[in-house]
Structure formats: structure tokens, C-alpha cells
Amino acid sequence: MIEIAFLGGAATVTGSKHRIRTSRATVLIECGLFQGHRADANRRNRSLPLDAAALDAVVLSHAHLDHSGALPVLAHHGYRGPIYATPATRDLCAPMLEDAASIQQADARHIDRLIARGVDLEPVTPLYDHDDVVAALALMVGLPYHRRQTIAPGIDLTFLDAGHVLGSAIVVLDVEDRGVQLRIAFTGDLGRPNMPILRDPEIPERVDYLITESTYGDRRHPPIAESQDALAAAVARTAARGGKVVIPSFALERAQEIVFALRSLERAGRMPPMPVYVDSPLTVKITDIFKLHPECYDAETRALIRGHDSPFDFPELRYVDDREDSKAIDAERGPSIVISASGMCEAGRILHHLKAGIEDPRNTVLIVGYQAQHTLGRRLVEQRARVRIFGVERERRAEVVVLNGFSAHADQRDLVSYAAATAARGAIEHVALVHGDPKPQEILAGLLGARGIGDVRVPSPGDKLDLGGA
Ligand SMILES: [Zn+2]
């Protein structure tokens, strides 16, 4: 028997958890957090849909929290086996999971304060604490790309580069049970070809069963060069007005891509002289980890580093850790660029910069990442005339510019050509679409089906598929 169960990240984009079971072994791929409405997400994250003690091994594709963020919950429930990830992913998980624990604690305190003021809310307890994070990190085993490793009886793991974020991997499992042999490839989140810094996604050979993400199964991204031009134009326009550019950004990958893009503009003489601040302690830590892992870079970026030219530094760029230095940025006169977290403007220092700058028509808010519903980021994308920051209504006079081209996810064309390229290296029997909302999944399933790429399925949460064997 070889069975796969889709326990999370099925028909939705968060909470990834997929379990492979044979007569001899049980392996979990991903242990991500559900994100979304607080009460619902909290309930789903608190209970694990599996028996932690029954697992032989866990495999993690990359460090984003919707894939890794429930690992401390797993440790809390008594899991003590290995968690395999690439060395860069392992390093990134330390600050990412620590930050997640801190945010949960801050959230719980915030809710307590509201309850004390008489607001009708249920108290929340954090999902996990720093001890659970340390317990999970202690289980992580770094496995480099392309090194095949037996991780459970009859199950071998090989990581290929996924080109999505630093350290991101495509998970290839060779599974054997009672004479049946299968190769399962799971894309994790798939990157885009020709992204700066990272290599292109690698194509596995002779895959029987492809599990692919489908986030943008219904959409195409504008070319990266076009976004670079739009970024240059927005910066020049704001500088000419004497304003500031405020960029909310996720700490992992997006922030480094933006720094890299600004550095390219600066080198090409396309940026007016102005200070650029990366103001987010988590982003600063993560950028340091980028510097430790040149093995994850593409040839162009490696050549830069060999020439002692860091892709993450240029003369006008300052990394800001200290809280007082952060406050000083808003008091400065004249044009500047501030990159800060959180990416959807829900928490963190970005809120202070928005509060200070949103009412000044000389300024620009530059949106470079996905903004979920009900977030301040989404209200800015919708160009609302008034927005609420720290509980106070403010007039939005700053210009809002949305750049979609910096996405780290494959778009529809990339997803179809990736599946086709994999099928060209050995006929795929089955395809399962995960990590997507129903509409993009339906469209992508149609496109793959029309090309005759395997028997395409869109599993629902909890679905189990028997892949053969006795
Ligand atoms: Zn991701």
C-alpha cells in the first residue's frame, strides 16, 4: 500500500500538510500554519490532523510559515523524529519561527488588553512558545540539494531547487512498498524562471505522481523587467516631489529582491541619490542568512560576490535594527525609501511609517506583494480615500502604486510548462493540484488535462489516494 493524504493546503493556499504512508513507514511533507481569520485559523492550527508519534520523518520544502509554521506544534505534540530541509531552509527557520512565536505572544497580550477595556472577545493563548520553537529546531537535519538520503524504511528523499525563496526545494520521494516502486515529486512553492538571485526550478526525471502548487493557476505575471521600470518611475516621481517611498515587504525573499532591484537601478544611474532603509529586525537577520548561502544563488549573483560586490549592499543602503533609529527615519526631511514589515501592513514597524507618511501627498506607498482580504494592505491596493491605522481614521493622500511583477510564485504559464517539462522526462500518471484556491485550480486542471499531462485531480482537505500496492 502506498497512500497519500492531503491534510492541509488542499483547496486553499495555507496550512500545507501531506502525509505519505506505506505498510512500513509514515512521512509528513510540510507542517504549515493556516492563515486567515483569527478565530478559524487558531482553531485549525491548534489541533493536528494526524498522530505526531506515528511519523518516521518530516520533510520541509521551504521556510515560509504556511509550510513550516506548525513545526513547533508538532514538537509540542511529542514528535521527536528528524525534520529534513536544505541547510538554508534550516537556518531561515530559526528567525522565522522565533518571530512567529513572538507575534503570537504579542497578539495574545493585545487581545487581553482589549478584553480589559470591555471589548467582547475570546481570550487567545499563543499556539506555541519559544521552548517549542527550540524543540522543533533541534530536530532539523540539513540535507543539501541532489543528495539522495533514506529517511524511512523504503522511502528515499532528494531535494531539487525550486527557485522560489532561498533554500526552497522540490521534494522528490522514491517510495517502495511490497514490490511496488513509485517516484513522487512535490513542487512545494514553485519559483519563476529568470528571477534575480535564485536559480530556475529544476525538472525531476521519471515522475509517476506530481503534486504541484497552483496559487496562480488563473493568472499571468508581468515580466520582471517591466516591474523594474515601474519601480524606477515611482521612485523618480516621488523624489521629484520631495517625498518618501514606503514599501511594505515580507521579510523572506521579497525584501531582498527589492534591495537587489534598487541596487541595479542605482548601478545603472537610474535612481536619484536618496537614502534607502531596510527597517525590520527580521529582514536584517534573514539578509544575513542570505549572505551565508551562496550555494543557493544563480551564476550571475555568484559572480557578483566573487568580485566582492554584495548584491545586498550599496552606498545609500542602511539596515536598521534599533527602535530609536527606526523612529528617526520618519523625522528626516527630504526623499528616502523605507522597506519594512509586515508585508500586509498588519503589524510591525511598517505601521509607524504609514502613520507618519500616509497623509502627505508627496509620498508613495509601493505595494510589491500579495495582500489578503481584510488587511490594511488590501485597503491601500483598493485606493481607499480613508484608512484606519492604530485605530485612528486617516486621510490617504499618498500615492499608492501596485507592482505585481515581483512575485516569487510561478504563474499560469510557468506552472503548465513545468508540468509539461516534467512529463517530457517520463510519463506522469497522476497529477494532484494543491496550495491554491478552487478557481485557479479548476482552470489549471483544465489546461493540464487538455495537454494530456496525467490524470489531474484537485483533492479536498482530508482526501486520501491509494497509489497502488497491496
Ligand atoms: Zn512560499
Side-chain angles (χ1 to χ4, degrees), residues 376-393:
L376 174 57
R378 174 64 76 94
R379 290 184 192 105
L380 290 168
V381 168
E382 289 165 355
Q383 308 278 349
R384 301 266 182 106
R386 299 180 70 78
V387 289
R388 187 175 277 273
I389 303 173
F390 291 126
V392 178
E393 282 258 322

Side-chain angles (χ1 to χ4, degrees), residues 253-272:
E253 202 66 36
R254 195 64 43 87
Q256 292 79 22
E257 301 278 351
I258 296 296
V259 165
F260 192 78
L262 290 171
R263 180 190 170 281
S264 308
L265 292 179
E266 193 251 8
R267 287 295 149 101
R270 296 177 69 194
M271 204 168 84

Side-chain angles (χ1 to χ4, degrees), residues 62 64 164 189:
H62 68 290
H64 275 152
H164 167 61
D189 283 349

Side-chain angles (χ1 to χ4, degrees), residues 29 42 73 128 150 199 211 224 251 267 277 283 297 322 358 367 385 388 390 394 462:
I29 310 177
N42 214 346
V73 180
Y128 45 80
T150 300
R199 286 186 294 259
I211 307 170
I224 290 166
R267 287 295 149 101
Y277 300 101
T283 307
Y297 298 165
D322 188 80
I358 198 81
I367 304 282
R388 187 175 277 273
F390 291 126
R394 290 170 197 280

Side-chain angles (χ1 to χ4, degrees), residues 118 153 175 220 419:
V175 184
R220 289 188 174 191

Side-chain angles (χ1 to χ4, degrees), residues 62 64 66-67 164-165 189 409 435:
H62 68 290
H64 275 152
D66 52 337
H67 295 256
H164 167 61
V165 298
D189 283 349
H409 276 273
H435 207 276

